[in-house]
Amino acid sequence: MLSQKERALLEAVAHGRDSLDHFVDQFGMTCAEALHLAESLRRLGYLQQRGTLYLDSLSYDLTEQGQAVLNLSSAQRSLREARLNVADLQLLSRLQHGAVDRAQLEEGGSDSVCSQLAHLSDQGYVAVTGIFRGRVTLTPRGRDVLARYGNLLDAVPREGS
Amino acid sequence: MAGEQVLVWSLAGLYYVGMITIGVVVGRWVKSGADFLVAGRDVSWILQGLGLSSIVVAGTTLATQGAIGYLAGLAGHWWVTGWIIAVLIGAFAFTGFYRKTGAYTLSEWLAACFGKRMHVVASITLAIGCFFSPLANILGGGVVLSGLTGMSIDAAIVLVGVIVAIYLFTGGLWGALVTDLVQWIISAVAFLIVIPLFILLRSDASLWQSLPDTYWSLGSVPMLPWFEWTLPSIFGMFWLMFSIATGGFYWGRSCSTRTIRETRKAWILAVVVSIPFAFVAPLAGMYVRATGIVLQVPDQALGVFLQSIPVLARALCLVAILAATMSTVNAGSMAGATVLVRDLGKYLGLKGERNTKGARWITFLYTLAATAGAVAFNHFITVLGSVMALALLAGFLTSLIPPLLASMFWKRVAREGALLGVGFATLSTIYTMFFSDIWQRYHPVFTGFLVSLVVMVVVSLVVRYTRPWWREATDF
């Protein structure tokens, strides 16, 4: 029986947040807590490490067992392909009318937003610019993905990141 | 002379007020412990890169390079070039790894890999090591400030330390980074424009002909009497800088950048913009030597050069020296304070992590303690005070490199080996520097690394044949 935190971590990996820095920021953990949780799930067979050395050792992938244990909604399963979750889609929709200051996006404290923006920036959906505080802009790729999956926002209740 | 003093103090006063104002303004961006310690991981590669460059352009750097330039020529560039090479390696090999771990400090990462005991030992080592960086630079900057203004060294030390403590209290890492940007700009104007301009205007071919040919050599570091202990070779300079850059000092900076890609860009930018700084101070020292001035204390070479330029330019350069000093001081203060808040805080019952008030006070007091240490060093370790403090910084930090490398590339390292390596290396540095004369022959940046590496490897191999020597609560 998985705990809520374990399940949340598996869902994060399912949606592309698959490395320790995301676990630390998204769940407000220390690195030791995040690594212990990920290793625990790896030993149980839900996760596999992408590699044993260097950068790959910091990333994890879902095993078939891990995928099977997740009870993703149809919307969440659709979004997996784009390595997004519903909260990402909600954030992207806030950007469709123009750039937004990162400070405005920070509702639950900076920890979770920074993980979200780092992930979306890595995927090419947003660009975070500005020498000082970040200013977040939707990229053309981000507009495409919003156009493709935006209808899912109506199908699911609002959820936090 | 009185008018010059008024100008100098006016500019310096304006600078100090500016730095504190920046700290107060950016302090409004700080709403959580993450904002205070790692700027909410919202730092751009430009701000990060210029901030890193401002760290190596320190008051002590300029004085040391000027001294080497005076005594031996362009070889002084290796002080900065060694850093450049270390950071270039770090850009491709280390900084992405730091960012991807999510850890705020190296000790936090080592705790994840090797357990709670390692957490305590590595955190203490890193906090103590980082302490000597602001100490060394406050001391070095205070000596330079004293020489140029006539105020007492103690007063100059306290002035530098307190100003940094204030803007870090209000702004945390944001305060450090934004002041670094201003400090870098001031330094660039003074050291890349003003000083080279005056050297060019006052030079002709006949002036430089008085210097030996060896002064123009880029490739060899001379065996200077007071220098040969600290950095007797190009490799020595590089290893000193590599230990500082890799041993946890810049970890928090890397982890504050927006993404892994941006942190790499930041480190590469730092390398590129630092290259010109490598040559200016040595050239100023060479100029002084070429004019025939005889100095009993080579550290004064840059100061003597500045005395020969117009008062407004001199005042700007003085402020630039202060700026260069403070940017390095704030880096060490934030690095060490982050370890206290994030790592050691919970063992000490401190609540600095989520509580920004706690983080602010820990950072403030850590910086003031380094200031007090600088005053003590000035009184009790009168010869090579800042250089010895730098040796302690490097000696402590270098002990953390073997377990870091093992965590990246050697998964069969035993936690017992990693822990005992750091522990013995830390003790060896303390013994080397305070209870023996080994330091006169072997710099702790070498002995600390070797002890850590050898103990880690040997103990890890022994543990393969025995059971683990202790269990950790996180063992499966």
Side-chain angles (χ1 to χ4, degrees):
Chain A
M1 187 77 173
L2 293 175
S3 70
Q4 193 178 4
K5 204 171 261 190
E6 287 169 332
R7 191 169 289 277
L9 193 141
L10 290 179
E11 280 185 17
V13 175
H15 292 289
R17 288 145 166 83
D18 51 19
S19 56
L20 284 181
D21 56 326
H22 288 300
F23 304 160
V24 168
D25 290 337
Q26 189 167 337
F27 302 113
M29 298 175 175
T30 65
C31 185
E33 289 165 351
L35 185 61
H36 182 73
L37 190 63
E39 284 296 299
S40 168
L41 289 168
R42 184 182 68 80
R43 285 170 193 265
L44 290 170
Y46 297 110
L47 290 178
Q48 60 190 19
Q49 239 177 338
R50 198 163 293 165
T52 54
L53 299 177
Y54 197 45
L55 289 172
D56 283 345
S57 67
L58 305 174
S59 294
Y60 294 82
D61 296 308
L62 277 181
T63 61
E64 284 183 14
Q65 183 181 344
Q67 291 182 47
V69 81
L70 285 177
N71 193 16
L72 299 177
S73 65
S74 59
Q76 288 173 316
R77 279 198 298 275
S78 301
L79 288 170
R80 269 196 71 192
E81 240 182 64
R83 296 170 72 82
L84 293 172
N85 60 26
V86 174
D88 294 334
L89 214 52
Q90 290 166 345
L91 190 148
L92 292 177
S93 71
R94 291 177 67 181
L95 301 172
Q96 57 187 332
H97 300 298
V100 176
D101 288 337
R102 176 180 149 152
Q104 284 180 258
L105 297 173
E106 288 171 356
E107 288 171 8
S110 65
D111 294 14
S112 55
V113 167
C114 82
S115 165
Q116 211 175 0
L117 289 176
H119 174 68
L120 294 173
S121 181
D122 283 341
Q123 300 305 312
Y125 298 134
V126 302
V128 184
T129 56
I131 292 178
F132 301 110
R133 305 290 328 260
R135 191 154 173 80
V136 190
T137 313
L138 201 57
T139 61
R141 190 168 140 86
R143 286 194 190 282
D144 285 344
V145 83
L146 195 56
R148 198 174 332 135
Y149 296 105
N151 59 304
L152 295 175
L153 282 173
D154 303 321
V156 295
R158 281 200 165 268
E159 63 182 61
S161 60
Chain B
M1 202 63 176
E4 178 181 336
Q5 290 291 328
V6 168
L7 177 62
V8 165
W9 281 111
S10 297
L11 280 180
L14 199 65
Y15 168 74
Y16 286 141
V17 168
M19 293 302 102
I20 292 173
T21 303
I22 288 172
V24 170
V25 168
V26 304
R28 293 182 299 180
W29 301 347
V30 177
K31 295 184 170 47
S32 70
D35 288 340
F36 188 87
L37 298 176
V38 291
R41 302 206 212 260
D42 188 24
V43 181
S44 67
W45 62 276
I46 293 175
L47 195 62
Q48 192 69 274
L50 295 181
L52 284 172
S53 176
S54 73
I55 294 173
V56 74
V57 182
T60 46
T61 300
L62 299 164
T64 305
Q65 285 192 296
I68 302 174
Y70 177 84
L71 288 169
L74 281 179
H77 79 89
W78 281 107
W79 185 279
V80 174
T81 305
W83 181 91
I84 285 171
I85 296 171
V87 171
L88 196 59
I89 292 172
F92 293 101
F94 294 103
T95 190
F97 186 88
Y98 299 165
R99 181 64 179 85
K100 202 170 182 181
T101 64
Y104 286 20
T105 63
L106 171 56
S107 40
E108 182 182 343
W109 168 243
L110 293 179
C113 297
F114 303 116
K116 190 175 170 179
R117 286 179 176 83
M118 177 59 128
H119 195 196
V120 174
V121 172
S123 300
I124 291 172
T125 299
L126 192 51
I128 295 175
C130 288
F131 178 80
F132 287 105
S133 169
L135 189 157
N137 285 283
I138 291 170
L139 175 58
V143 169
V144 170
L145 180 62
S146 167
L148 289 170
T149 61
M151 65 190 306
S152 73
I153 295 178
D154 284 352
I157 286 170
V158 170
L159 190 58
V160 170
V162 165
I163 297 293
V164 174
I166 291 173
Y167 70 70
L168 289 184
F169 177 85
T170 52
L173 187 62
W174 276 121
L177 287 165
V178 178
T179 55
D180 280 353
L181 176 65
V182 175
Q183 288 154 353
W184 189 90
I185 291 170
I186 294 172
S187 298
V189 169
F191 303 126
L192 300 186
I193 298 175
V194 172
I195 290 181
L197 185 64
F198 279 102
I199 291 176
L200 201 63
L201 287 173
R202 293 171 176 200
S203 297
D204 56 40
S206 62
L207 176 73
W208 300 104
Q209 279 168 8
S210 62
L211 295 175
D213 289 343
T214 54
Y215 269 56
W216 300 100
S217 169
L218 291 173
S220 62
V221 175
M223 293 293 280
L224 303 167
W226 54 268
F227 204 63
E228 64 183 46
W229 161 69
T230 53
L231 300 159
S233 64
I234 293 173
F235 178 77
M237 286 209 210
F238 158 73
W239 190 254
L240 179 80
M241 295 303 176
F242 181 79
S243 297
I244 294 171
T246 310
F249 197 79
Y250 296 169
W251 186 290
R253 295 279 175 127
S254 289
C255 291
S256 67
T257 322
R258 289 172 185 154
T259 63
I260 293 172
R261 203 175 316 127
E262 288 215 23
T263 194
R264 281 201 183 113
K265 281 166 68 174
W267 281 46
I268 292 170
L269 174 66
V271 163
V272 170
V273 300
S274 298
I275 291 171
F277 285 101
F279 297 94
V280 172
L283 274 171
M286 289 167 69
Y287 174 86
V288 171
R289 182 62 177 256
T291 59
I293 294 173
V294 176
L295 294 175
Q296 296 303 319
V297 181
D299 282 49
Q300 294 174 338
L302 182 64
V304 167
F305 174 83
L306 293 179
Q307 289 298 327
S308 71
I309 65 177
V311 63
L312 187 59
R314 182 161 62 250
L316 173 64
C317 290
L318 167 65
V319 173
I321 290 172
L322 279 177
T325 299
M326 285 181 167
S327 59
T328 312
V329 170
N330 73 37
S333 287
M334 277 311 302
T338 301
V339 173
L340 289 182
V341 174
R342 178 83 170 174
D343 295 314
L344 290 172
K346 62 181 185 185
Y347 300 113
L348 302 172
L350 302 172
K351 294 193 171 107
E353 173 77 46
R354 303 285 171 197
N355 171 6
T356 56
K357 188 176 166 187
R360 288 182 202 280
W361 279 107
I362 289 169
T363 305
F364 183 74
L365 292 172
Y366 187 81
T367 308
L368 287 189
T371 306
V375 172
F377 262 59
N378 182 48
H379 284 279
F380 299 114
I381 307 178
T382 52
V383 177
L384 300 176
S386 62
V387 178
M388 289 187 72
L390 203 60
L392 283 162
L393 160 70
F396 282 109
L397 263 51
T398 199
S399 69
L400 299 169
I401 295 177
L404 168 64
L405 292 174
S407 74
M408 296 165 78
F409 301 112
W410 186 37
K411 292 300 178 186
R412 301 190 71 179
V413 62
R415 73 159 70 100
E416 294 85 350
L419 170 69
L420 291 173
V422 173
F424 276 104
T426 301
L427 290 173
S428 80
T429 296
I430 294 171
Y431 175 76
T432 298
M433 294 296 294
F434 295 114
F435 300 105
S436 78
D437 63 354
I438 297 173
W439 60 268
Q440 293 182 10
R441 293 187 302 281
Y442 304 110
H443 198 286
V445 78
F446 297 116
T447 55
F449 176 80
L450 286 171
V451 168
S452 180
L453 178 66
V454 168
V455 171
M456 182 183 76
V457 170
V458 168
V459 171
S460 295
L461 292 173
V462 167
V463 170
R464 271 197 212 174
Y465 295 100
T466 67
R467 284 181 297 176
W469 296 355
W470 61 78
R471 303 285 298 173
E472 290 270 345
T474 50
D475 282 352
F476 294 101

